[in-house]
Amino acid sequence: MRNLSRRPVKLPTPERLANIALYYLQRFSASEASLRRVLENRLRRAAMRNAEWAADAETQKKLHTAIETIIEKYRKTGVLNDAAFAESKVHSLRRSGLSKRAIAQKLNAKGIPKNLIETSLDTSEDDGMDDTERDLKAARVFARKKRFGPYRAAGTDEDRHRKDIASMARAGFSFAIIKKVLGGEVPDEELF
């Protein structure tokens, strides 16, 4: 393993930050908040390794202004579009079997504003479905992937059944949906 402390520190400049942003956006679909976090982390790491540079308030202000300029540039060109990012993530996460609650948490962690999260969840690709139907569809996908309930190859014992319920509840599904997916024979007292 290389000793990173002996490597010379490349201090961030506006040009380097622009290159870092471009490279990041080439590799990942990103929200404004995630790009900002990547660029600010670069500043933070450089500050930890070079206290003198970190103490220069004028340079720090210039670099934070450069970060905002970079983000504004990519927002204007359409490369950074939080609404499109949120819709894409909702579509992808629904297909992978996540509940509405879990999707909202993931988007919130990515820095998407709450109003965009709600809008993207309401205008998802399952036109004509209400939230319950969408969550039921996602719960079936989740159960099939995890081989819960009716998707289990062999019979199930009571302990395994409780674990299936607990896992689906942690994934954000309501008890009513869990009962439908696991066959409806789940007694209410198993919730606790």
Side-chain angles (χ1 to χ4, degrees):
M1 185 170 158
R2 296 187 320 196
N3 187 351
L4 297 178
S5 63
R6 296 203 179 149
R7 281 181 36 200
V9 176
K10 286 187 178 181
L11 298 176
T13 63
E15 296 78 26
R16 281 194 180 126
L17 290 174
N19 288 338
I20 292 165
L22 180 62
Y23 181 72
Y24 183 76
L25 292 172
Q26 286 174 342
R27 295 183 65 212
F28 305 105
S29 172
S31 65
E32 291 177 24
S34 60
L35 179 60
R36 183 176 287 109
R37 187 172 36 248
V38 165
L39 296 175
E40 287 177 354
N41 280 344
R42 189 58 65 108
L43 296 181
R44 203 171 1 267
R45 283 193 306 249
M48 288 183 347
R49 295 184 66 195
N50 189 330
E52 184 180 316
W53 177 82
D56 185 1
E58 186 178 320
T59 301
Q60 298 302 315
K61 184 177 180 182
K62 184 174 126 182
L63 291 172
H64 283 286
T65 303
I67 289 172
E68 294 307 317
T69 304
I70 291 166
I71 289 172
E72 184 62 29
K73 171 186 159 190
Y74 285 122
R75 184 185 313 125
K76 283 182 180 176
T77 60
V79 173
L80 283 178
N81 183 342
D82 281 355
F85 176 80
E87 287 180 28
S88 171
K89 280 293 183 188
V90 166
H91 178 73
S92 171
L93 295 172
R94 278 214 194 274
R95 272 196 332 256
S96 69
L98 277 133
S99 69
K100 180 179 180 178
R101 219 173 297 158
I103 292 170
Q105 286 176 342
K106 284 194 176 279
L107 291 177
N108 188 34
K110 292 286 186 185
I112 303 296
K114 189 174 183 170
N115 62 339
L116 282 179
I117 292 173
E118 291 170 0
T119 303
S120 60
L121 284 169
D122 291 340
T123 60
S124 109
E125 76 286 346
D126 301 323
D127 292 317
M129 292 182 152
D130 64 1
D131 285 343
T132 306
E133 291 171 331
R134 288 178 185 148
D135 263 2
L136 181 60
K137 183 177 175 183
R140 286 190 175 121
V141 171
F142 183 81
R144 187 171 45 249
K145 286 173 85 175
K146 300 286 185 174
R147 298 189 175 150
F148 291 164
Y151 303 103
R152 188 174 307 285
T156 181
D157 62 351
E158 202 56 35
D159 188 43
R160 185 73 248 164
H161 191 66
R162 284 192 179 110
K163 288 181 180 182
D164 292 353
I165 293 169
S167 181
M168 291 187 76
R170 283 189 304 273
F173 296 108
S174 70
F175 188 63
I177 291 194
I178 293 171
K179 281 173 63 172
K180 285 181 185 178
V181 170
L182 294 182
E185 70 267 4
V186 182
D188 288 340
E189 55 269 10
E190 278 192 12
L191 244 185
F192 305 103

